[in-house]
Amino acid sequence: MATVEIVSFGFLHGDAPTADLILDLRRAFRDPHIDPRMRSLTGRDRLVRRTVLGTAGVRPLLTATTRLVQAYAAGPSVARIVIGSGCAGGRHRSVVVADQLARRLRRRGHTVTVTHRDLHLPVVNR
């Protein structure tokens, strides 16, 4: 079974990582950053996690991405699959999606590593 590497990141902090699949969460899913209560929080905080997972379309995206990884992993020469999960600042949506995707893939037997590239960076003022 292929090893899966998931990298959450913020497009405002630099280029997307080199990956087999990039999930660009910026336009399709509401940014928790717009709510002042969540602006300084991260995807590791319960309120942000609940908000992102409660956003229409996020759970179906996780299901579809899990299936896509299963399809990639079925390839005869795939040892590693890299997925980028990106939002604007890399602190909210991308983190939640990366962590939830990792959880789903581990349940299906994959070895998964998660790196939150920009989680430690300051909130981007927009």
Side-chain angles (χ1 to χ4, degrees):
M1 188 163 289
T3 297
V4 181
E5 297 177 22
I6 304 172
V7 180
S8 76
F9 67 96
F11 283 97
L12 295 175
H13 293 295
D15 293 335
T18 301
D20 299 296
L21 177 65
I22 296 289
L23 302 175
D24 184 344
L25 307 168
R26 292 175 293 180
R27 289 185 24 202
F29 307 106
R30 184 174 27 97
D31 189 353
H33 181 277
I34 63 171
D35 183 335
R37 295 174 304 141
M38 289 187 270
R39 190 163 295 144
S40 64
L41 301 177
T42 74
R44 293 282 173 86
D45 292 296
R46 183 180 200 175
L47 178 60
V48 173
R49 191 170 50 251
R50 285 187 10 214
T51 299
V52 171
L53 291 175
T55 301
V58 169
R59 289 182 190 272
L61 175 68
L62 288 166
T63 299
T65 306
T66 300
R67 288 184 180 142
L68 189 57
V69 169
Q70 295 287 97
Y72 269 92
S77 61
V78 176
R80 180 177 80 121
I81 301 164
V82 181
I83 302 169
S85 174
C87 62
R91 294 174 46 89
H92 298 106
R93 294 166 289 182
S94 63
V95 172
V96 173
V97 168
D99 286 343
Q100 291 298 310
L101 183 59
R103 187 170 156 235
R104 288 174 180 229
L105 292 170
R106 286 182 184 119
R107 283 194 308 227
R108 284 159 182 79
H110 291 278
T111 299
V112 181
T113 61
V114 179
T115 303
H116 297 297
R117 185 186 83 182
D118 302 327
L119 181 65
H120 67 285
L121 296 177
V123 174
V124 176
N125 290 316
R126 296 183 263 154

